[in-house]
Amino acid sequence: DSGVTQTPKHLITATGQRVTLRCSPRSGDLSVYWYQQSLDQGLQFLIQYYNGEERAKGNILERFSAQQFPDLHSELNLSSLELGDSALYFCASSSRGSGALQETQYFGPGTRLLVL
Amino acid sequence: DQQVKQNSPSLSVQEGRISILNCDYTNSMFDYFLWYKKYPAEGPTFLISISSIKDKNEDGRFTVFLNKSAKHLSLHIVPSQPGDSAVYFCAASAETGNQFYFGTGTSLTVIP
């Protein structure tokens, strides 16, 4: 158990809909990262938040947005969903508080999203 | 554009033998590399890392080798155990970058 929690574990929705994925980092961790893993793909970095502020952005679509709240949990919002958005979405958190890239990241179990 | 590649989707090894998982990268700016292990229904777990100032890093049964000129790294597991059966991802980053780039993973099966 990494200490990172993600809800829900599974989500089935229809094209055009909007969903929110939730992540609670390990206690004390200030950085949260979001990744997408599509079928037969590696993990694609989406976005990083550090202590409530956006720190880094990767291949995140404009239809997707994220935020980190004062209690440090984070939400990833996916809107106007398309079939191709079906994937595993992982959240990770890191510990040292500097938000430096080379900190060890601890991953949650993921949310499996299926868009029909 | 896949900057980190794991060309073997799967690997089977007998228990007690060596497992060698390979990873190639294209970006010469990458200077930090990691291996993650992932069991089904769980998130990836950090296994071992290596900085570009080294060419080898060991942690128990796990050793990572880095060949910068070939832009290649490998993970050796000796001896392999059934509990090592998992998907292994390599990842790379550049000091000046803002993200890790992951490979597509290699599924290792250790046969008892």
Side-chain angles (χ1 to χ4, degrees):
Chain A
D1 182 358
S2 67
V4 178
T5 60
Q6 289 186 250
T7 56
K9 286 191 175 158
H10 302 275
L11 197 48
I12 302 175
T13 188
T15 54
Q17 294 297 305
R18 173 190 168 95
V19 297
T20 298
L21 312 184
R22 183 187 168 105
C23 169
S24 293
R26 294 188 328 154
S27 176
D29 285 0
L30 298 178
S31 269
V32 169
Y33 307 77
W34 286 98
Y35 291 87
Q36 178 193 57
Q37 185 185 14
S38 302
L39 192 63
D40 295 331
Q41 297 285 314
L43 282 80
Q44 301 287 326
F45 170 70
L46 296 177
I47 198 164
Q48 177 201 358
Y49 276 82
Y50 171 69
N51 203 19
E53 305 265 333
E54 182 183 304
R55 171 65 67 96
K57 217 168 195 177
N59 300 323
I60 188 166
L61 299 171
E62 285 191 12
R63 301 183 285 110
F64 296 2
S65 65
Q67 54 185 325
Q68 187 179 27
F69 294 87
D71 67 353
L72 301 176
H73 90 271
S74 178
E75 293 181 356
L76 179 67
N77 300 296
L78 315 176
S79 61
S80 303
L81 284 167
E82 301 174 359
L83 296 178
D85 298 327
S86 296
L88 261 173
Y89 291 85
F90 288 104
C91 164
S93 71
S94 64
S95 61
R96 290 187 206 159
S98 69
L101 185 60
Q102 295 186 357
E103 298 175 358
T104 297
Q105 295 181 21
Y106 296 86
F107 282 80
T111 293
R112 186 174 291 280
L113 174 66
L114 180 60
V115 182
L116 299 176
Chain B
D1 178 28
Q2 195 74 21
Q3 298 192 46
V4 177
K5 298 177 186 178
Q6 294 177 256
N7 292 318
S8 298
S10 62
L11 175 69
S12 289
V13 171
Q14 288 289 133
E15 180 178 3
R17 304 294 292 268
I18 184 171
S19 295
I20 300 176
L21 295 95
N22 294 305
C23 179
D24 298 292
Y25 60 96
T26 57
N27 189 339
S28 58
M29 299 299 291
F30 287 155
D31 57 7
Y32 187 67
F33 306 88
L34 309 93
W35 285 93
Y36 278 86
K37 174 176 165 178
K38 184 184 179 305
Y39 293 118
E42 294 183 13
T45 303
F46 170 75
L47 196 55
I48 192 168
S49 64
I50 188 166
S51 162
S52 60
I53 61 172
K54 294 185 171 183
D55 53 20
K56 177 182 171 181
N57 189 27
E58 260 181 282
D59 184 0
R61 296 185 297 114
F62 301 91
T63 302
V64 56
F65 294 92
L66 175 62
N67 182 334
K68 290 185 286 293
S69 60
K71 295 192 183 71
H72 177 84
L73 66 156
S74 60
L75 175 69
H76 293 211
I77 307 174
V78 184
S80 301
Q81 299 173 354
D84 296 329
S85 297
V87 177
Y88 290 79
F89 292 96
C90 67
S93 71
E95 186 180 7
T96 54
N98 65 355
Q99 63 175 287
F100 282 110
Y101 295 86
F102 282 78
T104 51
T106 296
S107 178
L108 172 67
T109 302
V110 179
I111 303 162

